[in-house]
Amino acid sequence: MLITLADAIAQYRTAADDRTSNSYNWYRQSAARHGRVWLGGNKVPATRQGRRWMVDDGDVAAAVTAHREKRAHEARMLTDYDNHVLHAGVVTMTDGGYETRGVFHFVWWDYQRMRGFSDGHWVCNGCWKPAACERNRPECHRCSGDWSPCRDDCRLSRVFCGTCDTSLPIG
């Protein structure tokens, strides 16, 4: 059954407990430009009927369910991280994430990244202490010029832990 976009957004905000959603005008513009809106990272097709944008309530319910499952998964990953349990690859957690590489992992928090405080830091998988970094590589073309920095830590050559005597060469 089709419902109005305004009703769908209100339903999504309530059911998904998403306090960070965009304004109604953003959703309306997205529907006009792309014929869809994004609810919690899930695509919901939108159609114009008269003067209103309409979406299928089943698509909205599916988006709410997917968003809740994603949030629950991120909360489980944060709990695992707090208990020093790591998973392979890039893992998103509530308000951040990490990526494992050998005997180290690189962890970041969204708030710190957004505010420009920190892009993240390396942590030893053995002792869970912050790892030290060695930067002996030359700067990339972007960093060596007068442009803004690449933010890829292009000079990083090695990550190591003095406590565990482990090392990870980079690049």
Side-chain angles (χ1 to χ4, degrees), residues 73 77 87-93 96-101 106 108 113:
H73 175 74
M77 293 299 105
H87 301 275
V90 178
V91 176
T92 57
M93 304 181 293
Y98 67 87
E99 179 178 5
T100 55
R101 289 199 193 166
F106 185 80
W108 67 88
R113 277 183 146 177

Side-chain angles (χ1 to χ4, degrees), residues 16 42 61-76:
N42 301 286
V64 167
T65 300
H67 182 70
R68 282 183 177 164
E69 289 172 356
K70 179 182 177 214
R71 287 273 175 103
H73 175 74
E74 289 176 344
R76 283 192 305 274

Side-chain angles (χ1 to χ4, degrees), residues 10-11 13 19 21 27 34 40-41 47 53 59 63 65-66 78 82 85 95 97 99 104 110-111 115 134 154 161:
Q11 179 182 336
R13 287 178 178 157
R19 295 177 187 90
S21 64
Y27 289 106
H34 309 291
T47 57
W53 284 102
D59 292 338
T65 300
L78 180 60
D82 289 343
V85 175
D95 301 326
E99 179 178 5
F104 296 95
D110 295 337
Y111 179 79
R115 301 291 270 172
E134 187 176 88
C154 59
C161 177

Side-chain angles (χ1 to χ4, degrees), residues 16-139:
D17 193 30
D18 190 353
R19 295 177 187 90
T20 62
S21 64
N22 295 302
S23 69
Y24 173 73
N25 193 44
W26 183 89
Y27 289 106
R28 192 174 51 77
Q29 289 175 355
S30 179
R33 283 189 193 121
H34 309 291
R36 67 180 181 275
V37 294
W38 292 90
L39 299 178
N42 301 286
K43 187 172 27 174
V44 176
T47 57
R48 183 99 173 167
Q49 288 188 353
R51 297 179 58 162
R52 293 183 152 178
W53 284 102
M54 308 295 282
V55 295
D56 185 81
D57 63 345
D59 292 338
V60 174
V64 167
T65 300
H67 182 70
R68 282 183 177 164
E69 289 172 356
K70 179 182 177 214
R71 287 273 175 103
H73 175 74
E74 289 176 344
R76 283 192 305 274
M77 293 299 105
L78 180 60
T79 301
D80 283 355
Y81 187 79
D82 289 343
N83 293 326
H84 295 189
V85 175
L86 294 173
H87 301 275
V90 178
V91 176
T92 57
M93 304 181 293
T94 304
D95 301 326
Y98 67 87
E99 179 178 5
T100 55
R101 289 199 193 166
V103 294
F104 296 95
H105 64 278
F106 185 80
V107 65
W108 67 88
W109 302 104
D110 295 337
Y111 179 79
Q112 291 179 343
R113 277 183 146 177
M114 177 188 67
R115 301 291 270 172
F117 297 147
S118 170
D119 286 332
H121 61 276
W122 290 93
V123 178
C124 176
N125 295 350
C127 64
W128 282 77
K129 291 183 180 176
C133 296
E134 187 176 88
R135 291 175 171 82
N136 289 333
R137 292 173 49 194
E139 288 182 328

